[in-house]
Amino acid sequence: MSEESTTPPEKVDALYERLDREAEASGYHLNPDREFTRGLVEGLITNEQRYGYPACPCRLATGDKQKDLDIICPCDYRDADLVDWGACYCALYVSDEVLDGQREVQSIPERRPPGGERPQGSPAHAPQQPGGEPTLPVWRCRVCGYLCAREKPPGVCPICKAKRDRFERFW
Amino acid sequence: MSEESTTPPEKVDALYERLDREAEASGYHLNPDREFTRGLVEGLITNEQRYGYPACPCRLATGDKQKDLDIICPCDYRDADLVDWGACYCALYVSDEVLDGQREVQSIPERRPPGGERPQGSPAHAPQQPGGEPTLPVWRCRVCGYLCAREKPPGVCPICKAKRDRFERFW
Amino acid sequence: MSEESTTPPEKVDALYERLDREAEASGYHLNPDREFTRGLVEGLITNEQRYGYPACPCRLATGDKQKDLDIICPCDYRDADLVDWGACYCALYVSDEVLDGQREVQSIPERRPPGGERPQGSPAHAPQQPGGEPTLPVWRCRVCGYLCAREKPPGVCPICKAKRDRFERFW
C-alpha cells in the first residue's frame, strides 16, 4: 500500500460494498472507519493483481498460493482474533463490541504460527482420519441449532444473529 | 408496551428494517402485520433500555441477564414454536405457511419451562461432556449439506432455502 | 416451457430477483445470461402452478411430490454438479469459476439415479440409524468453522465466503 495507487476508486468502492454486504449478512462488520478500511480494501485488490489471490494486506505473502492459503482474506485467524481482540490482525473486521463502542481496538499480536509450524498444503486434501475424535469443539446455537467447529463460539450466530452467550458446547 | 411511548418512530423503523433483513436472509419472516410488529419491536427497544438486553416483549423479564438468557429475542423457543405453531410465542416471527396464508396463527402455549427447570447460567460455560452422545438429533439439508442440531428440522434451510421436507436425519 | 406463456413478466422478475438475492447471500450465483435464466425461472413458476411445487424445469416431473422431492429446485444434485461441472443440470446456477469466465459450461450429464434407485419418501421421516457412522464426510471451513456434510466441500463458504480450498475434512 506504500506504492503509487493505480486502482480506480470505483473498483475499491465496488469491493468495499461487496465485502460490507457479505460481512453484515453473516454477523461480521467492516471497520467503520471508512477511509482506513478503503485503504485495506485497496491492498486486497493490489494483492489479487500481484499474486492472483487477495492475500492479507498486513502480512508478507510469498506468492506461493499453497503457502499463503491461511492468510488469504478472510484469513484463518480472523475469527479467533475477533473473539479475543475485537478485531482481526489488520482491523479490517471488527466485533460487535468494537462497533458499539464498548471495546477499543488495540495492537493485535500475530497469531499465525511460524512457517515451519503451519499446516501444509490444501486442507481439503489433508483429511483428518475419519472416525477419529474431532480436535476442535463443536458449538451449537441454542436458538436455531447452527453448528460450527472452532476454539470458541462466534460473537454472533451467522444464521439467527443470537449472541455468543447463546451457544453451548455440543461435542 | 402499556407505558407512554418515548421511542422515536425512526428508531423503531431502523430496528424493524434490520430485523426484517436479517430474518429474510436466513429463511425467517417477521409478522406481515406491520403495525403489530412495530409494537413488538418497540417493546424490544424498551427492554433493551430497561434491562440492557432485548428480552422478549411478551414475557416477564427478571432483569438478571443470566436468568433471562433464554428469552432474549430471538428466544430459545422461537424455532420450535415456528415449526409446531407457525409463529413464535409473541407472533413476531411467522413461518412460511403463515406468510403464504396456508396456516393461521392461533394462541401459542408457553413452551418455556418453569424457573426451576431451566438450564442454569451461560450455556457456553456449561459444556456437555465431550465424547458423550449428543442429546439432540442432527439434521442435514440434502441440497447443500447444511447441518443443525435441533428437535425438528427448520422450515427452510437458512443456506439454500430448500424446505423442511428436504432435510434428513444425519445423526 | 414450450407452451404459450401466460406468466406476467413482473412475476418472473419478482422470482428472479428473490432467487438472485438468496443465491448471492449464500455464495451461489444465477446464470448471468439474464434472458436464458428468466426462461428457467418462468419454467419454475409454470411447474409451481401445475404441480404445486417448483420442480426442475429441465426434468420430467411426475406430479407426485414425494417422488419428485429430489428435483424440486434447488435439486438434490445442484451442489455436486456445481462442483464437478460448474453449473447445475439446467445451468440455472453456475459456479464462481464460470461466473469469472475461468470455466465454460458444457453439457452436464444427468446425475439423478434411475427411479428404482432413488431414496423413497420424505427424508425427514427416514432417519439414519442414530449412532451409526455418518455416510457422508463432514467438511469444516477453516476460517469460520462452518460445518456441512456432502461429498465435496462447497465452492464458497456460505457463511464467510472463503473459497473451497479453505475447507478441511472434519469427520
Side-chain angles (χ1 to χ4, degrees), chain C residues 136-162:
Chain C
L136 282 169
V138 175
W139 301 97
R140 173 184 177 265
C141 172
R142 292 176 66 119
V143 176
C144 70
Y146 175 71
L147 297 173
C148 56
R150 29 190 286 163
E151 290 292 351
K152 297 178 190 171
V156 173
C157 174
I159 301 301
C160 75
K161 308 295 186 286

mmCIF file of all heavy atoms in Angstrom, chain C residues 136-162:
data_model
loop_
_atom_site.group_PDB
_atom_site.id
_atom_site.type_symbol
_atom_site.label_atom_id
_atom_site.label_comp_id
_atom_site.label_asym_id
_atom_site.label_seq_id
_atom_site.Cartn_x
_atom_site.Cartn_y
_atom_site.Cartn_z
ATOM 1 N N LEU C 136 -21.626 -39.608 4.884
ATOM 2 C CA LEU C 136 -21.019 -38.552 4.084
ATOM 3 C C LEU C 136 -19.934 -37.868 4.905
ATOM 4 O O LEU C 136 -20.078 -37.729 6.118
ATOM 5 C CB LEU C 136 -22.068 -37.505 3.696
ATOM 6 C CG LEU C 136 -23.002 -37.859 2.560
ATOM 7 C CD1 LEU C 136 -24.128 -36.850 2.504
ATOM 8 C CD2 LEU C 136 -22.258 -37.908 1.230
ATOM 9 N N PRO C 137 -18.883 -37.401 4.243
ATOM 10 C CA PRO C 137 -17.872 -36.666 5.006
ATOM 11 C C PRO C 137 -18.423 -35.329 5.505
ATOM 12 O O PRO C 137 -19.297 -34.741 4.872
ATOM 13 C CB PRO C 137 -16.742 -36.432 3.994
ATOM 14 C CG PRO C 137 -17.307 -36.698 2.655
ATOM 15 C CD PRO C 137 -18.541 -37.540 2.823
ATOM 16 N N VAL C 138 -17.924 -34.885 6.638
ATOM 17 C CA VAL C 138 -18.258 -33.561 7.164
ATOM 18 C C VAL C 138 -17.066 -32.645 6.905
ATOM 19 O O VAL C 138 -15.927 -32.996 7.220
ATOM 20 C CB VAL C 138 -18.578 -33.615 8.675
ATOM 21 C CG1 VAL C 138 -18.811 -32.207 9.224
ATOM 22 C CG2 VAL C 138 -19.794 -34.492 8.937
ATOM 23 N N TRP C 139 -17.336 -31.503 6.291
ATOM 24 C CA TRP C 139 -16.300 -30.533 5.953
ATOM 25 C C TRP C 139 -16.377 -29.335 6.880
ATOM 26 O O TRP C 139 -17.457 -28.917 7.258
ATOM 27 C CB TRP C 139 -16.465 -30.061 4.503
ATOM 28 C CG TRP C 139 -16.396 -31.193 3.532
ATOM 29 C CD1 TRP C 139 -17.448 -31.851 2.978
ATOM 30 C CD2 TRP C 139 -15.211 -31.830 3.040
ATOM 31 N NE1 TRP C 139 -16.991 -32.853 2.154
ATOM 32 C CE2 TRP C 139 -15.627 -32.863 2.170
ATOM 33 C CE3 TRP C 139 -13.846 -31.632 3.237
ATOM 34 C CZ2 TRP C 139 -14.718 -33.704 1.503
ATOM 35 C CZ3 TRP C 139 -12.943 -32.451 2.572
ATOM 36 C CH2 TRP C 139 -13.372 -33.477 1.726
ATOM 37 N N ARG C 140 -15.222 -28.787 7.187
ATOM 38 C CA ARG C 140 -15.135 -27.620 8.083
ATOM 39 C C ARG C 140 -14.415 -26.480 7.382
ATOM 40 O O ARG C 140 -13.338 -26.671 6.818
ATOM 41 C CB ARG C 140 -14.359 -27.997 9.345
ATOM 42 C CG ARG C 140 -14.064 -26.815 10.252
ATOM 43 C CD ARG C 140 -13.222 -27.185 11.451
ATOM 44 N NE ARG C 140 -12.937 -25.979 12.194
ATOM 45 C CZ ARG C 140 -11.829 -25.245 12.055
ATOM 46 N NH1 ARG C 140 -10.873 -25.614 11.222
ATOM 47 N NH2 ARG C 140 -11.675 -24.125 12.747
ATOM 48 N N CYS C 141 -15.040 -25.300 7.419
ATOM 49 C CA CYS C 141 -14.364 -24.103 6.913
ATOM 50 C C CYS C 141 -13.336 -23.676 7.951
ATOM 51 O O CYS C 141 -13.673 -23.453 9.121
ATOM 52 C CB CYS C 141 -15.376 -22.983 6.683
ATOM 53 S SG CYS C 141 -14.580 -21.414 6.271
ATOM 54 N N ARG C 142 -12.089 -23.579 7.522
ATOM 55 C CA ARG C 142 -11.026 -23.225 8.474
ATOM 56 C C ARG C 142 -11.114 -21.776 8.925
ATOM 57 O O ARG C 142 -10.489 -21.396 9.903
ATOM 58 C CB ARG C 142 -9.658 -23.449 7.838
ATOM 59 C CG ARG C 142 -9.362 -24.913 7.593
ATOM 60 C CD ARG C 142 -8.040 -25.060 6.865
ATOM 61 N NE ARG C 142 -6.958 -24.618 7.706
ATOM 62 C CZ ARG C 142 -5.960 -25.391 8.112
ATOM 63 N NH1 ARG C 142 -5.904 -26.648 7.754
ATOM 64 N NH2 ARG C 142 -5.011 -24.908 8.863
ATOM 65 N N VAL C 143 -11.852 -20.949 8.192
ATOM 66 C CA VAL C 143 -11.964 -19.540 8.588
ATOM 67 C C VAL C 143 -13.007 -19.363 9.689
ATOM 68 O O VAL C 143 -12.733 -18.793 10.735
ATOM 69 C CB VAL C 143 -12.288 -18.649 7.373
ATOM 70 C CG1 VAL C 143 -12.509 -17.210 7.807
ATOM 71 C CG2 VAL C 143 -11.165 -18.736 6.346
ATOM 72 N N CYS C 144 -14.219 -19.868 9.441
ATOM 73 C CA CYS C 144 -15.314 -19.564 10.376
ATOM 74 C C CYS C 144 -15.843 -20.775 11.125
ATOM 75 O O CYS C 144 -16.668 -20.627 12.024
ATOM 76 C CB CYS C 144 -16.466 -18.877 9.635
ATOM 77 S SG CYS C 144 -17.356 -19.971 8.501
ATOM 78 N N GLY C 145 -15.397 -21.989 10.752
ATOM 79 C CA GLY C 145 -15.838 -23.176 11.471
ATOM 80 C C GLY C 145 -17.127 -23.795 10.963
ATOM 81 O O GLY C 145 -17.598 -24.786 11.524
ATOM 82 N N TYR C 146 -17.697 -23.233 9.900
ATOM 83 C CA TYR C 146 -18.931 -23.795 9.310
ATOM 84 C C TYR C 146 -18.743 -25.274 8.986
ATOM 85 O O TYR C 146 -17.705 -25.675 8.461
ATOM 86 C CB TYR C 146 -19.268 -23.014 8.030
ATOM 87 C CG TYR C 146 -20.448 -23.563 7.260
ATOM 88 C CD1 TYR C 146 -21.741 -23.437 7.756
ATOM 89 C CD2 TYR C 146 -20.264 -24.195 6.026
ATOM 90 C CE1 TYR C 146 -22.827 -23.933 7.033
ATOM 91 C CE2 TYR C 146 -21.345 -24.677 5.302
ATOM 92 C CZ TYR C 146 -22.620 -24.548 5.816
ATOM 93 O OH TYR C 146 -23.679 -25.037 5.096
ATOM 94 N N LEU C 147 -19.764 -26.065 9.297
ATOM 95 C CA LEU C 147 -19.732 -27.498 9.034
ATOM 96 C C LEU C 147 -20.818 -27.876 8.035
ATOM 97 O O LEU C 147 -21.939 -27.375 8.119
ATOM 98 C CB LEU C 147 -19.983 -28.277 10.329
ATOM 99 C CG LEU C 147 -18.951 -28.115 11.441
ATOM 100 C CD1 LEU C 147 -19.435 -28.824 12.709
ATOM 101 C CD2 LEU C 147 -17.586 -28.652 11.018
ATOM 102 N N CYS C 148 -20.488 -28.748 7.114
ATOM 103 C CA CYS C 148 -21.521 -29.275 6.217
ATOM 104 C C CYS C 148 -21.146 -30.688 5.830
ATOM 105 O O CYS C 148 -19.977 -31.073 5.860
ATOM 106 C CB CYS C 148 -21.699 -28.399 4.980
ATOM 107 S SG CYS C 148 -20.206 -28.144 4.025
ATOM 108 N N ALA C 149 -22.156 -31.481 5.511
ATOM 109 C CA ALA C 149 -21.948 -32.888 5.159
ATOM 110 C C ALA C 149 -22.331 -33.100 3.713
ATOM 111 O O ALA C 149 -23.511 -32.982 3.343
ATOM 112 C CB ALA C 149 -22.789 -33.783 6.074
ATOM 113 N N ARG C 150 -21.367 -33.367 2.860
ATOM 114 C CA ARG C 150 -21.596 -33.553 1.437
ATOM 115 C C ARG C 150 -20.367 -34.233 0.838
ATOM 116 O O ARG C 150 -19.318 -34.267 1.475
ATOM 117 C CB ARG C 150 -21.879 -32.215 0.742
ATOM 118 C CG ARG C 150 -21.224 -31.005 1.405
ATOM 119 C CD ARG C 150 -21.695 -29.681 0.857
ATOM 120 N NE ARG C 150 -21.108 -29.469 -0.446
ATOM 121 C CZ ARG C 150 -21.546 -28.592 -1.334
ATOM 122 N NH1 ARG C 150 -22.582 -27.837 -1.032
ATOM 123 N NH2 ARG C 150 -20.962 -28.464 -2.499
ATOM 124 N N GLU C 151 -20.500 -34.722 -0.377
ATOM 125 C CA GLU C 151 -19.382 -35.455 -0.980
ATOM 126 C C GLU C 151 -18.113 -34.602 -1.024
ATOM 127 O O GLU C 151 -17.034 -35.048 -0.651
ATOM 128 C CB GLU C 151 -19.743 -35.915 -2.399
ATOM 129 C CG GLU C 151 -20.786 -37.023 -2.473
ATOM 130 C CD GLU C 151 -20.282 -38.361 -1.922
ATOM 131 O OE1 GLU C 151 -19.079 -38.485 -1.648
ATOM 132 O OE2 GLU C 151 -21.119 -39.267 -1.741
ATOM 133 N N LYS C 152 -18.252 -33.365 -1.507
ATOM 134 C CA LYS C 152 -17.101 -32.469 -1.624
ATOM 135 C C LYS C 152 -17.473 -31.123 -1.020
ATOM 136 O O LYS C 152 -18.651 -30.758 -0.995
ATOM 137 C CB LYS C 152 -16.725 -32.276 -3.097
ATOM 138 C CG LYS C 152 -16.285 -33.564 -3.779
ATOM 139 C CD LYS C 152 -15.976 -33.328 -5.252
ATOM 140 C CE LYS C 152 -15.787 -34.665 -5.986
ATOM 141 N NZ LYS C 152 -15.702 -34.489 -7.444
ATOM 142 N N PRO C 153 -16.506 -30.343 -0.550
ATOM 143 C CA PRO C 153 -16.848 -29.047 0.046
ATOM 144 C C PRO C 153 -17.470 -28.104 -0.987
ATOM 145 O O PRO C 153 -17.265 -28.277 -2.194
ATOM 146 C CB PRO C 153 -15.507 -28.496 0.535
ATOM 147 C CG PRO C 153 -14.452 -29.420 0.086
ATOM 148 C CD PRO C 153 -15.066 -30.621 -0.543
ATOM 149 N N PRO C 154 -18.231 -27.109 -0.515
ATOM 150 C CA PRO C 154 -18.831 -26.149 -1.453
ATOM 151 C C PRO C 154 -17.765 -25.258 -2.082
ATOM 152 O O PRO C 154 -16.654 -25.140 -1.561
ATOM 153 C CB PRO C 154 -19.760 -25.322 -0.556
ATOM 154 C CG PRO C 154 -19.204 -25.452 0.818
ATOM 155 C CD PRO C 154 -18.546 -26.802 0.887
ATOM 156 N N GLY C 155 -18.123 -24.625 -3.199
ATOM 157 C CA GLY C 155 -17.194 -23.732 -3.876
ATOM 158 C C GLY C 155 -16.822 -22.532 -3.016
ATOM 159 O O GLY C 155 -15.685 -22.052 -3.060
ATOM 160 N N VAL C 156 -17.771 -22.071 -2.252
ATOM 161 C CA VAL C 156 -17.590 -20.900 -1.400
ATOM 162 C C VAL C 156 -18.293 -21.180 -0.080
ATOM 163 O O VAL C 156 -19.402 -21.722 -0.081
ATOM 164 C CB VAL C 156 -18.217 -19.657 -2.069
ATOM 165 C CG1 VAL C 156 -18.198 -18.462 -1.132
ATOM 166 C CG2 VAL C 156 -17.506 -19.316 -3.368
ATOM 167 N N CYS C 157 -17.670 -20.820 1.013
ATOM 168 C CA CYS C 157 -18.332 -20.993 2.310
ATOM 169 C C CYS C 157 -19.542 -20.064 2.360
ATOM 170 O O CYS C 157 -19.405 -18.856 2.162
ATOM 171 C CB CYS C 157 -17.371 -20.662 3.449
ATOM 172 S SG CYS C 157 -18.193 -20.677 5.066
ATOM 173 N N PRO C 158 -20.734 -20.617 2.620
ATOM 174 C CA PRO C 158 -21.926 -19.766 2.616
ATOM 175 C C PRO C 158 -21.918 -18.733 3.741
ATOM 176 O O PRO C 158 -22.641 -17.755 3.665
ATOM 177 C CB PRO C 158 -23.078 -20.759 2.786
ATOM 178 C CG PRO C 158 -22.472 -21.967 3.401
ATOM 179 C CD PRO C 158 -21.059 -22.030 2.903
ATOM 180 N N ILE C 159 -21.104 -18.960 4.755
ATOM 181 C CA ILE C 159 -21.069 -18.031 5.894
ATOM 182 C C ILE C 159 -20.025 -16.934 5.681
ATOM 183 O O ILE C 159 -20.338 -15.753 5.752
ATOM 184 C CB ILE C 159 -20.763 -18.795 7.199
ATOM 185 C CG1 ILE C 159 -21.810 -19.883 7.468
ATOM 186 C CG2 ILE C 159 -20.641 -17.827 8.384
ATOM 187 C CD1 ILE C 159 -23.230 -19.389 7.584
ATOM 188 N N CYS C 160 -18.787 -17.322 5.431
ATOM 189 C CA CYS C 160 -17.727 -16.299 5.392
ATOM 190 C C CYS C 160 -17.169 -16.064 3.998
ATOM 191 O O CYS C 160 -16.297 -15.213 3.826
ATOM 192 C CB CYS C 160 -16.602 -16.647 6.368
ATOM 193 S SG CYS C 160 -15.544 -17.972 5.772
ATOM 194 N N LYS C 161 -17.653 -16.811 3.030
ATOM 195 C CA LYS C 161 -17.284 -16.630 1.618
ATOM 196 C C LYS C 161 -15.835 -17.016 1.305
ATOM 197 O O LYS C 161 -15.328 -16.702 0.235
ATOM 198 C CB LYS C 161 -17.571 -15.203 1.127
ATOM 199 C CG LYS C 161 -19.000 -14.719 1.416
ATOM 200 C CD LYS C 161 -20.030 -15.516 0.662
ATOM 201 C CE LYS C 161 -21.449 -14.984 0.814
ATOM 202 N NZ LYS C 161 -22.081 -15.231 2.110
ATOM 203 N N ALA C 162 -15.187 -17.725 2.209
ATOM 204 C CA ALA C 162 -13.877 -18.295 1.870
ATOM 205 C C ALA C 162 -14.076 -19.357 0.792
ATOM 206 O O ALA C 162 -15.128 -19.989 0.722
ATOM 207 C CB ALA C 162 -13.234 -18.902 3.109
#
